[in-house]
Amino acid sequence: EKMKILLTKEEILEDPLYIRGIQEGILKGKVEAILDILSLRFSDIDLSSILEKLKDIQDLERLDYLKNKAKTVSSLEEFKKLLN
């Protein structure tokens, strides 16, 4: 109760570490969404190799594209080709 607040909300929102944490959280959420879609569509398949490739992608637009493609590809091999 007696501690003084050192940063304002605006300062926190502009902090590079805070921004980086938010971006990493968004990236992680998109990767998890892609894996969820693929695991629902192609059950009983090991997705670890795809996970490793997805983790390397830092472009949010590319992850959005891949998420949409995960919904429509006809096979897991077709999706893997999109990662190369």
Side-chain angles (χ1 to χ4, degrees):
E1 290 178 26
K2 295 180 181 182
M3 292 182 69
K4 187 175 185 178
I5 296 176
L6 301 176
L7 296 173
T8 65
K9 180 179 178 181
E10 291 77 20
E11 290 171 325
I12 292 171
L13 294 175
E14 293 173 2
D15 182 77
L17 290 176
Y18 175 81
I19 293 168
R20 181 174 162 201
I22 294 296
Q23 290 171 336
E24 288 178 8
I26 292 169
L27 289 171
K28 184 179 178 184
K30 289 184 182 288
V31 167
E32 289 175 2
I34 293 168
L35 293 175
D36 286 346
I37 293 166
L38 292 174
S39 66
L40 286 171
R41 295 199 60 225
F42 308 105
S43 59
D44 299 328
I45 295 177
D46 180 22
L47 298 174
S48 58
S49 64
I50 290 176
L51 171 61
E52 292 308 312
K53 290 183 180 185
L54 288 173
K55 282 183 176 180
D56 292 336
I57 299 172
Q58 300 296 307
D59 182 356
L60 293 175
E61 288 181 19
R62 180 148 190 249
L63 287 172
D64 282 335
Y65 168 79
L66 290 170
K67 185 175 87 174
N68 288 330
K69 292 306 265 183
K71 296 174 188 175
T72 61
V73 291
S74 58
S75 69
L76 198 57
E77 291 305 315
E78 183 181 344
F79 185 80
K80 286 180 182 179
K81 289 178 185 176
L82 296 171
L83 293 173
N84 297 328

Coordinates of all heavy atoms in Angstrom, one line a residue:
E1 N 0.8 -1.2 0.0 CA 0.0 0.0 0.0 C 0.9 1.3 0.0 O 0.5 2.3 -0.6 CB -0.9 0.0 1.2 CG -2.0 -1.0 1.1 CD -2.9 -1.0 2.4 OE1 -3.0 0.0 3.1 OE2 -3.4 -2.1 2.7
K2 N 2.0 1.2 0.7 CA 2.8 2.4 0.8 C 3.8 2.5 -0.4 O 4.5 3.5 -0.5 CB 3.6 2.3 2.1 CG 2.7 2.4 3.3 CD 3.5 2.4 4.6 CE 2.6 2.4 5.8 NZ 3.3 2.4 7.0
M3 N 3.9 1.5 -1.3 CA 4.8 1.6 -2.4 C 4.3 2.6 -3.4 O 3.2 2.7 -3.7 CB 5.0 0.2 -3.0 CG 5.7 -0.8 -2.2 SD 5.9 -2.3 -3.0 CE 7.1 -1.9 -4.2
K4 N 5.3 3.4 -3.9 CA 4.9 4.4 -4.9 C 5.0 3.8 -6.3 O 5.9 3.0 -6.6 CB 5.9 5.5 -4.8 CG 5.6 6.7 -5.6 CD 6.6 7.8 -5.3 CE 6.2 9.1 -6.1 NZ 7.1 10.2 -5.9
I5 N 4.1 4.1 -7.1 CA 4.0 3.6 -8.5 C 5.1 4.4 -9.3 O 5.2 5.6 -9.3 CB 2.7 3.8 -9.2 CG1 1.6 3.0 -8.4 CG2 2.7 3.5 -10.6 CD1 0.2 3.2 -8.9
L6 N 6.1 3.6 -9.9 CA 7.2 4.3 -10.5 C 6.9 4.6 -12.0 O 7.5 5.5 -12.6 CB 8.4 3.3 -10.4 CG 8.8 3.0 -9.0 CD1 10.0 2.0 -9.0 CD2 9.2 4.3 -8.2
L7 N 6.0 3.8 -12.6 CA 5.7 4.0 -14.0 C 4.3 4.3 -14.2 O 3.4 3.7 -13.6 CB 6.1 2.8 -14.8 CG 7.6 2.4 -14.9 CD1 7.8 1.1 -15.6 CD2 8.4 3.5 -15.6
T8 N 3.9 5.1 -15.2 CA 2.5 5.3 -15.5 C 2.1 4.3 -16.5 O 3.0 3.6 -17.1 CB 2.3 6.7 -16.2 OG1 3.0 6.7 -17.4 CG2 2.8 7.8 -15.2
K9 N 0.8 4.1 -16.7 CA 0.3 3.2 -17.7 C 0.9 3.4 -19.0 O 1.3 2.5 -19.8 CB -1.2 3.2 -17.7 CG -1.8 2.2 -18.6 CD -3.4 2.3 -18.6 CE -4.0 1.4 -19.6 NZ -5.4 1.5 -19.6
E10 N 0.9 4.7 -19.4 CA 1.5 5.1 -20.7 C 2.9 4.7 -20.9 O 3.3 4.2 -21.9 CB 1.3 6.6 -21.0 CG -0.1 7.0 -21.1 CD -0.9 7.1 -19.8 OE1 -0.3 7.2 -18.7 OE2 -2.1 7.1 -19.8
E11 N 3.7 4.9 -19.8 CA 5.1 4.5 -19.9 C 5.3 3.0 -20.0 O 6.1 2.5 -20.8 CB 5.8 5.0 -18.6 CG 6.0 6.5 -18.6 CD 6.5 7.0 -17.2 OE1 6.2 6.4 -16.2 OE2 7.3 8.0 -17.2
I12 N 4.4 2.2 -19.3 CA 4.5 0.8 -19.4 C 4.1 0.3 -20.9 O 4.8 -0.5 -21.5 CB 3.5 0.1 -18.4 CG1 4.1 0.4 -17.0 CG2 3.4 -1.4 -18.7 CD1 3.1 0.0 -15.9
L13 N 3.1 0.9 -21.4 CA 2.6 0.5 -22.8 C 3.7 0.9 -23.8 O 3.7 0.3 -24.9 CB 1.3 1.2 -23.1 CG 0.1 0.7 -22.2 CD1 -1.1 1.6 -22.6 CD2 -0.2 -0.7 -22.4
E14 N 4.5 1.8 -23.6 CA 5.6 2.2 -24.5 C 6.9 1.5 -24.3 O 7.8 1.7 -25.1 CB 5.8 3.7 -24.5 CG 4.6 4.5 -25.0 CD 4.7 6.0 -24.8 OE1 5.7 6.5 -24.3 OE2 3.7 6.7 -25.1
D15 N 7.0 0.8 -23.2 CA 8.2 0.1 -22.8 C 8.6 -1.0 -23.9 O 7.7 -1.8 -24.2 CB 8.1 -0.5 -21.4 CG 9.4 -1.2 -21.0 OD1 10.3 -0.4 -20.6 OD2 9.5 -2.4 -21.1
P16 N 9.8 -1.0 -24.4 CA 10.2 -2.0 -25.4 C 10.0 -3.4 -24.9 O 9.6 -4.3 -25.7 CB 11.6 -1.7 -25.7 CG 11.8 -0.2 -25.3 CD 10.9 0.0 -24.1
L17 N 10.3 -3.7 -23.7 CA 10.2 -5.1 -23.2 C 8.7 -5.5 -23.1 O 8.3 -6.6 -23.4 CB 10.8 -5.2 -21.8 CG 12.3 -5.1 -21.8 CD1 12.8 -5.2 -20.3 CD2 12.9 -6.3 -22.6
Y18 N 7.8 -4.5 -22.7 CA 6.4 -4.8 -22.7 C 5.9 -5.1 -24.1 O 5.2 -6.1 -24.4 CB 5.6 -3.6 -22.1 CG 4.1 -3.8 -22.1 CD1 3.5 -4.5 -21.2 CD2 3.4 -3.2 -23.1 CE1 2.1 -4.7 -21.2 CE2 2.0 -3.3 -23.2 CZ 1.4 -4.1 -22.2 OH 0.0 -4.3 -22.3
I19 N 6.3 -4.2 -25.0 CA 5.9 -4.4 -26.4 C 6.4 -5.7 -27.0 O 5.6 -6.5 -27.7 CB 6.4 -3.2 -27.3 CG1 5.7 -1.9 -26.9 CG2 6.2 -3.5 -28.8 CD1 6.3 -0.7 -27.4
R20 N 7.6 -6.1 -26.7 CA 8.2 -7.4 -27.1 C 7.4 -8.5 -26.6 O 7.1 -9.5 -27.3 CB 9.6 -7.5 -26.8 CG 10.3 -8.7 -27.2 CD 11.8 -8.7 -26.9 NE 12.3 -10.0 -27.0 CZ 13.4 -10.4 -26.4 NH1 14.1 -9.5 -25.7 NH2 13.9 -11.6 -26.5
G21 N 7.0 -8.4 -25.3 CA 6.3 -9.5 -24.7 C 4.9 -9.7 -25.3 O 4.4 -10.8 -25.5
I22 N 4.3 -8.6 -25.6 CA 3.0 -8.6 -26.3 C 3.1 -9.3 -27.7 O 2.3 -10.2 -28.0 CB 2.3 -7.2 -26.4 CG1 2.0 -6.7 -25.0 CG2 1.1 -7.2 -27.3 CD1 0.9 -7.4 -24.3
Q23 N 4.1 -8.9 -28.4 CA 4.3 -9.4 -29.8 C 4.6 -10.9 -29.7 O 4.1 -11.7 -30.5 CB 5.5 -8.7 -30.5 CG 5.1 -7.3 -30.9 CD 6.3 -6.5 -31.4 OE1 7.4 -6.8 -31.1 NE2 6.0 -5.5 -32.1
E24 N 5.4 -11.3 -28.7 CA 5.7 -12.8 -28.6 C 4.5 -13.6 -28.2 O 4.3 -14.7 -28.7 CB 6.8 -13.0 -27.5 CG 8.2 -12.5 -28.0 CD 9.3 -12.7 -27.0 OE1 9.1 -13.3 -25.9 OE2 10.4 -12.2 -27.3
G25 N 3.6 -13.0 -27.4 CA 2.4 -13.6 -27.0 C 1.5 -13.8 -28.2 O 0.8 -14.8 -28.4
I26 N 1.4 -12.8 -29.0 CA 0.6 -12.9 -30.3 C 1.1 -13.9 -31.2 O 0.4 -14.8 -31.7 CB 0.5 -11.5 -31.0 CG1 -0.3 -10.5 -30.1 CG2 -0.1 -11.6 -32.3 CD1 -0.2 -9.1 -30.6
L27 N 2.4 -14.0 -31.4 CA 3.0 -15.0 -32.3 C 2.8 -16.4 -31.7 O 2.4 -17.3 -32.5 CB 4.6 -14.8 -32.3 CG 5.0 -13.5 -33.1 CD1 6.5 -13.3 -32.9 CD2 4.7 -13.7 -34.6
K28 N 2.9 -16.6 -30.4 CA 2.7 -17.9 -29.8 C 1.2 -18.3 -30.0 O 0.9 -19.4 -30.3 CB 3.0 -17.8 -28.3 CG 2.9 -19.2 -27.6 CD 3.3 -19.1 -26.2 CE 3.1 -20.4 -25.5 NZ 3.4 -20.4 -24.1
G29 N 0.3 -17.4 -29.8 CA -1.1 -17.6 -30.0 C -1.5 -18.1 -31.4 O -2.2 -19.0 -31.6
K30 N -0.8 -17.4 -32.4 CA -1.1 -17.8 -33.8 C -0.5 -19.1 -34.1 O -1.2 -19.9 -34.8 CB -0.5 -16.7 -34.7 CG -1.3 -15.4 -34.7 CD -0.8 -14.4 -35.6 CE -1.5 -13.1 -35.5 NZ -2.9 -13.1 -36.1
V31 N 0.7 -19.4 -33.6 CA 1.3 -20.8 -33.8 C 0.4 -21.8 -33.2 O 0.1 -22.9 -33.8 CB 2.7 -20.8 -33.3 CG1 3.2 -22.2 -33.2 CG2 3.6 -19.9 -34.1
E32 N -0.1 -21.6 -32.0 CA -1.0 -22.6 -31.3 C -2.3 -22.8 -32.1 O -2.8 -23.9 -32.2 CB -1.3 -22.2 -29.9 CG -0.1 -22.3 -29.0 CD -0.3 -21.8 -27.6 OE1 -1.4 -21.3 -27.3 OE2 0.7 -21.8 -26.8
A33 N -2.8 -21.7 -32.7 CA -4.1 -21.8 -33.4 C -3.8 -22.7 -34.7 O -4.7 -23.5 -35.0 CB -4.5 -20.4 -33.8
I34 N -2.7 -22.5 -35.4 CA -2.4 -23.3 -36.5 C -2.3 -24.7 -36.2 O -2.9 -25.6 -36.8 CB -1.1 -22.8 -37.2 CG1 -1.3 -21.4 -37.8 CG2 -0.6 -23.7 -38.3 CD1 -0.1 -20.7 -38.2
L35 N -1.6 -25.0 -35.1 CA -1.4 -26.4 -34.7 C -2.7 -27.0 -34.3 O -3.0 -28.2 -34.5 CB -0.4 -26.5 -33.5 CG 1.0 -26.1 -33.9 CD1 1.9 -26.1 -32.6 CD2 1.6 -27.1 -34.9
D36 N -3.6 -26.3 -33.6 CA -4.9 -26.8 -33.2 C -5.7 -27.1 -34.5 O -6.4 -28.2 -34.5 CB -5.7 -25.7 -32.4 CG -5.2 -25.6 -31.0 OD1 -4.4 -26.5 -30.5 OD2 -5.6 -24.6 -30.4
I37 N -5.7 -26.3 -35.5 CA -6.4 -26.6 -36.7 C -5.9 -27.8 -37.4 O -6.7 -28.7 -37.8 CB -6.4 -25.3 -37.7 CG1 -7.1 -24.2 -37.1 CG2 -6.9 -25.7 -39.1 CD1 -6.8 -22.8 -37.8
L38 N -4.6 -27.9 -37.5 CA -4.0 -29.1 -38.1 C -4.3 -30.4 -37.4 O -4.6 -31.4 -38.0 CB -2.5 -28.9 -38.3 CG -2.1 -27.8 -39.3 CD1 -0.6 -27.6 -39.3 CD2 -2.5 -28.1 -40.7
S39 N -4.2 -30.3 -36.0 CA -4.4 -31.5 -35.3 C -5.9 -31.9 -35.3 O -6.2 -33.1 -35.3 CB -4.0 -31.3 -33.8 OG -4.8 -30.3 -33.2
L40 N -6.8 -31.0 -35.5 CA -8.2 -31.4 -35.7 C -8.5 -32.0 -37.0 O -9.2 -32.9 -37.2 CB -9.1 -30.2 -35.5 CG -9.3 -29.7 -34.1 CD1 -10.0 -28.3 -34.0 CD2 -10.1 -30.7 -33.2
R41 N -7.8 -31.4 -38.0 CA -8.1 -31.9 -39.4 C -7.3 -33.2 -39.7 O -7.8 -34.0 -40.5 CB -7.6 -30.8 -40.4 CG -8.5 -29.6 -40.3 CD -8.5 -28.7 -41.5 NE -8.9 -29.4 -42.7 CZ -8.3 -29.3 -43.8 NH1 -7.2 -28.6 -44.0 NH2 -8.7 -30.0 -44.9
F42 N -6.1 -33.3 -39.2 CA -5.3 -34.5 -39.5 C -4.8 -35.1 -38.1 O -3.7 -35.0 -37.7 CB -4.0 -34.0 -40.3 CG -4.3 -33.2 -41.5 CD1 -4.1 -31.9 -41.5 CD2 -4.9 -33.8 -42.6 CE1 -4.4 -31.1 -42.6 CE2 -5.2 -33.0 -43.7 CZ -4.9 -31.7 -43.7
S43 N -5.8 -35.9 -37.6 CA -5.5 -36.5 -36.2 C -4.5 -37.5 -36.3 O -4.1 -38.1 -37.3 CB -6.8 -37.0 -35.7 OG -7.3 -38.0 -36.6
D44 N -3.9 -37.8 -35.1 CA -2.9 -38.9 -34.9 C -1.6 -38.6 -35.7 O -1.0 -39.6 -36.2 CB -3.5 -40.2 -35.2 CG -4.6 -40.6 -34.3 OD1 -4.6 -40.1 -33.1 OD2 -5.5 -41.3 -34.7
I45 N -1.3 -37.4 -35.9 CA -0.1 -37.0 -36.6 C 0.9 -36.2 -35.8 O 0.4 -35.3 -35.0 CB -0.4 -36.3 -37.9 CG1 -1.2 -37.1 -38.9 CG2 0.8 -35.8 -38.6 CD1 -1.6 -36.5 -40.1
D46 N 2.2 -36.5 -35.8 CA 3.1 -35.8 -35.0 C 3.4 -34.4 -35.7 O 3.8 -34.4 -36.8 CB 4.4 -36.6 -34.9 CG 5.5 -35.9 -34.1 OD1 5.2 -35.0 -33.3 OD2 6.7 -36.2 -34.3
L47 N 3.1 -33.4 -35.0 CA 3.3 -32.0 -35.5 C 4.5 -31.3 -35.0 O 4.7 -30.1 -35.3 CB 2.0 -31.2 -35.2 CG 0.7 -31.7 -35.7 CD1 -0.4 -30.8 -35.2 CD2 0.7 -31.6 -37.2
S48 N 5.4 -32.0 -34.4 CA 6.6 -31.4 -33.8 C 7.5 -30.7 -34.9 O 8.1 -29.6 -34.6 CB 7.4 -32.4 -33.0 OG 7.8 -33.5 -33.8
S49 N 7.7 -31.3 -36.0 CA 8.5 -30.7 -37.1 C 7.9 -29.4 -37.6 O 8.5 -28.4 -37.9 CB 8.7 -31.7 -38.2 OG 7.5 -32.0 -38.9
I50 N 6.5 -29.4 -37.7 CA 5.8 -28.2 -38.1 C 5.9 -27.1 -37.0 O 6.2 -26.0 -37.3 CB 4.4 -28.5 -38.4 CG1 4.3 -29.4 -39.7 CG2 3.5 -27.2 -38.6 CD1 2.9 -29.8 -40.1
L51 N 5.8 -27.5 -35.8 CA 6.0 -26.6 -34.7 C 7.3 -25.8 -34.7 O 7.4 -24.6 -34.6 CB 5.8 -27.3 -33.3 CG 6.1 -26.4 -32.1 CD1 5.2 -25.2 -32.0 CD2 6.0 -27.3 -30.8
E52 N 8.4 -26.6 -35.0 CA 9.7 -26.0 -35.0 C 9.8 -25.0 -36.1 O 10.4 -23.9 -36.0 CB 10.8 -27.0 -35.1 CG 10.9 -27.9 -33.9 CD 11.1 -27.1 -32.6 OE1 11.9 -26.2 -32.6 OE2 10.4 -27.4 -31.6
K53 N 9.2 -25.3 -37.3 CA 9.3 -24.3 -38.4 C 8.4 -23.1 -38.1 O 8.8 -22.0 -38.5 CB 8.8 -25.0 -39.7 CG 9.9 -26.0 -40.2 CD 9.5 -26.6 -41.5 CE 10.5 -27.6 -42.0 NZ 10.3 -28.1 -43.3
L54 N 7.2 -23.3 -37.5 CA 6.3 -22.2 -37.2 C 7.0 -21.2 -36.2 O 6.8 -20.0 -36.3 CB 5.0 -22.7 -36.7 CG 4.1 -23.4 -37.7 CD1 2.9 -24.0 -37.0 CD2 3.7 -22.4 -38.8
K55 N 7.7 -21.8 -35.2 CA 8.3 -21.0 -34.2 C 9.3 -20.0 -34.8 O 9.6 -18.9 -34.2 CB 9.0 -21.8 -33.2 CG 8.1 -22.5 -32.2 CD 9.0 -23.3 -31.2 CE 8.2 -23.9 -30.1 NZ 9.0 -24.6 -29.1
D56 N 9.9 -20.3 -35.9 CA 10.9 -19.5 -36.6 C 10.3 -18.3 -37.3 O 11.0 -17.3 -37.7 CB 11.8 -20.2 -37.5 CG 12.7 -21.2 -36.8 OD1 13.0 -21.0 -35.6 OD2 13.1 -22.2 -37.4
I57 N 9.0 -18.3 -37.5 CA 8.3 -17.3 -38.3 C 7.9 -16.1 -37.4 O 7.3 -16.3 -36.4 CB 7.0 -17.8 -39.0 CG1 7.4 -19.0 -40.0 CG2 6.3 -16.7 -39.7 CD1 6.3 -19.7 -40.6
Q58 N 8.4 -14.9 -37.7 CA 8.1 -13.7 -36.9 C 7.2 -12.8 -37.6 O 6.8 -11.8 -37.0 CB 9.5 -13.0 -36.6 CG 10.5 -13.8 -35.9 CD 10.0 -14.2 -34.5 OE1 9.6 -13.3 -33.7 NE2 10.0 -15.5 -34.2
D59 N 6.7 -13.1 -38.8 CA 5.9 -12.3 -39.6 C 4.4 -12.6 -39.3 O 3.9 -13.7 -39.6 CB 6.2 -12.4 -41.1 CG 5.3 -11.6 -42.0 OD1 4.4 -10.9 -41.5 OD2 5.6 -11.6 -43.2
L60 N 3.7 -11.7 -38.7 CA 2.3 -12.0 -38.3 C 1.4 -12.2 -39.5 O 0.5 -13.1 -39.5 CB 1.7 -10.8 -37.5 CG 2.3 -10.6 -36.1 CD1 1.7 -9.3 -35.5 CD2 2.1 -11.8 -35.2
E61 N 1.6 -11.5 -40.6 CA 0.8 -11.7 -41.8 C 1.0 -13.1 -42.4 O 0.1 -13.7 -42.8 CB 1.1 -10.6 -42.8 CG 0.6 -9.3 -42.5 CD 0.9 -8.2 -43.5 OE1 1.2 -8.6 -44.7 OE2 0.9 -7.0 -43.2
R62 N 2.3 -13.6 -42.3 CA 2.6 -14.9 -42.9 C 1.9 -16.0 -42.0 O 1.3 -16.9 -42.5 CB 4.1 -15.2 -42.9 CG 4.4 -16.6 -43.4 CD 5.6 -16.6 -44.2 NE 5.8 -17.9 -44.9 CZ 6.7 -18.9 -44.5 NH1 7.5 -18.6 -43.6 NH2 6.7 -20.0 -45.1
L63 N 1.9 -15.8 -40.7 CA 1.2 -16.7 -39.8 C -0.3 -16.7 -40.0 O -1.0 -17.7 -40.0 CB 1.5 -16.4 -38.3 CG 2.9 -16.8 -37.9 CD1 3.2 -16.3 -36.5 CD2 3.2 -18.3 -38.0
D64 N -0.9 -15.5 -40.3 CA -2.3 -15.4 -40.6 C -2.6 -16.2 -41.9 O -3.6 -16.9 -42.0 CB -2.8 -14.0 -40.7 CG -2.9 -13.3 -39.4 OD1 -3.2 -14.0 -38.4 OD2 -2.9 -12.1 -39.4
Y65 N -1.7 -16.0 -42.9 CA -1.9 -16.7 -44.2 C -1.8 -18.3 -43.9 O -2.7 -19.0 -44.4 CB -0.8 -16.3 -45.1 CG -0.7 -17.2 -46.3 CD1 -1.5 -17.0 -47.4 CD2 0.3 -18.1 -46.4 CE1 -1.4 -17.8 -48.5 CE2 0.5 -18.9 -47.6 CZ -0.4 -18.8 -48.6 OH -0.3 -19.6 -49.7
L66 N -0.8 -18.7 -43.1 CA -0.7 -20.1 -42.9 C -1.9 -20.7 -42.1 O -2.3 -21.8 -42.3 CB 0.6 -20.4 -42.1 CG 1.9 -20.2 -43.0 CD1 3.1 -20.2 -42.1 CD2 2.0 -21.2 -44.1
K67 N -2.4 -19.9 -41.2 CA -3.6 -20.3 -40.4 C -4.8 -20.5 -41.4 O -5.5 -21.5 -41.2 CB -4.0 -19.3 -39.3 CG -5.1 -19.7 -38.5 CD -5.4 -18.7 -37.3 CE -6.3 -17.7 -37.8 NZ -6.7 -16.7 -36.8
N68 N -5.0 -19.6 -42.3 CA -6.1 -19.8 -43.3 C -5.8 -21.0 -44.2 O -6.8 -21.7 -44.5 CB -6.2 -18.5 -44.1 CG -6.8 -17.4 -43.2 OD1 -7.6 -17.6 -42.3 ND2 -6.5 -16.1 -43.5
K69 N -4.6 -21.2 -44.6 CA -4.3 -22.3 -45.4 C -4.5 -23.7 -44.6 O -4.9 -24.7 -45.2 CB -2.9 -22.2 -46.0 CG -2.7 -21.1 -47.0 CD -3.7 -21.2 -48.1 CE -3.1 -21.9 -49.3 NZ -4.0 -21.9 -50.4
A70 N -4.2 -23.6 -43.3 CA -4.3 -24.8 -42.5 C -5.8 -25.3 -42.6 O -6.1 -26.5 -42.4 CB -3.9 -24.6 -41.1
K71 N -6.7 -24.4 -42.7 CA -8.1 -24.7 -42.8 C -8.5 -25.4 -44.1 O -9.6 -26.1 -44.2 CB -9.0 -23.5 -42.6 CG -8.8 -22.8 -41.2 CD -9.5 -21.5 -41.2 CE -9.2 -20.7 -39.9 NZ -9.9 -19.4 -39.9
T72 N -7.7 -25.2 -45.2 CA -8.2 -25.6 -46.5 C -7.3 -26.6 -47.2 O -7.7 -27.1 -48.2 CB -8.3 -24.3 -47.4 OG1 -7.1 -23.7 -47.5 CG2 -9.4 -23.4 -46.8
V73 N -6.1 -26.8 -46.7 CA -5.2 -27.7 -47.5 C -5.8 -29.1 -47.5 O -6.5 -29.5 -46.5 CB -3.7 -27.7 -46.9 CG1 -3.0 -26.4 -47.1 CG2 -3.7 -28.1 -45.4
S74 N -5.4 -29.9 -48.5 CA -6.0 -31.2 -48.6 C -5.1 -32.2 -47.8 O -5.6 -33.4 -47.6 CB -6.1 -31.6 -50.0 OG -4.9 -31.5 -50.7
S75 N -3.9 -31.9 -47.5 CA -3.1 -32.8 -46.8 C -2.0 -32.1 -45.9 O -1.8 -30.9 -46.2 CB -2.3 -33.8 -47.7 OG -1.4 -33.0 -48.5
L76 N -1.5 -32.8 -45.0 CA -0.4 -32.2 -44.2 C 0.8 -31.9 -45.0 O 1.5 -31.0 -44.8 CB -0.1 -33.1 -43.0 CG 0.6 -32.5 -41.8 CD1 -0.1 -31.3 -41.3 CD2 0.9 -33.5 -40.7
E77 N 1.1 -32.8 -46.0 CA 2.2 -32.6 -46.9 C 2.1 -31.3 -47.7 O 3.1 -30.6 -47.9 CB 2.4 -33.8 -47.8 CG 2.8 -35.0 -47.1 CD 4.1 -34.9 -46.3 OE1 5.1 -34.3 -46.8 OE2 4.1 -35.4 -45.2
E78 N 0.9 -31.0 -48.1 CA 0.6 -29.7 -48.8 C 0.9 -28.5 -47.9 O 1.5 -27.6 -48.3 CB -0.8 -29.7 -49.2 CG -1.2 -28.4 -50.0 CD -2.6 -28.4 -50.5 OE1 -3.3 -29.4 -50.4 OE2 -3.1 -27.3 -50.9
F79 N 0.6 -28.6 -46.6 CA 0.9 -27.6 -45.7 C 2.4 -27.4 -45.4 O 2.9 -26.3 -45.4 CB 0.1 -27.8 -44.3 CG 0.3 -26.7 -43.4 CD1 -0.5 -25.5 -43.5 CD2 1.3 -26.7 -42.4 CE1 -0.3 -24.4 -42.6 CE2 1.5 -25.6 -41.5 CZ 0.7 -24.5 -41.6
K80 N 3.1 -28.6 -45.3 CA 4.5 -28.5 -45.1 C 5.2 -27.8 -46.2 O 6.2 -27.1 -46.0 CB 5.0 -29.9 -44.9 CG 4.7 -30.6 -43.6 CD 5.3 -32.0 -43.5 CE 5.0 -32.6 -42.2 NZ 5.5 -34.0 -42.1
K81 N 4.7 -28.0 -47.5 CA 5.3 -27.3 -48.6 C 5.2 -25.8 -48.5 O 6.1 -25.0 -48.9 CB 4.7 -27.8 -49.9 CG 5.0 -29.2 -50.3 CD 4.3 -29.6 -51.6 CE 4.6 -31.0 -51.9 NZ 3.9 -31.5 -53.1
L82 N 4.1 -25.3 -47.8 CA 4.0 -23.9 -47.6 C 5.0 -23.3 -46.7 O 5.2 -22.1 -46.7 CB 2.6 -23.6 -47.1 CG 1.4 -23.9 -48.1 CD1 0.1 -23.8 -47.3 CD2 1.4 -23.0 -49.3
L83 N 5.5 -24.1 -45.8 CA 6.5 -23.7 -44.8 C 7.9 -23.5 -45.4 O 8.7 -22.9 -44.8 CB 6.6 -24.7 -43.7 CG 5.3 -24.8 -42.8 CD1 5.5 -25.9 -41.8 CD2 5.0 -23.5 -42.1
N84 N 8.1 -24.1 -46.6 CA 9.5 -24.0 -47.2 C 9.6 -22.7 -48.0 O 8.8 -22.0 -48.4 CB 9.8 -25.2 -48.0 CG 9.8 -26.4 -47.1 OD1 10.2 -26.4 -46.0 ND2 9.4 -27.5 -47.7

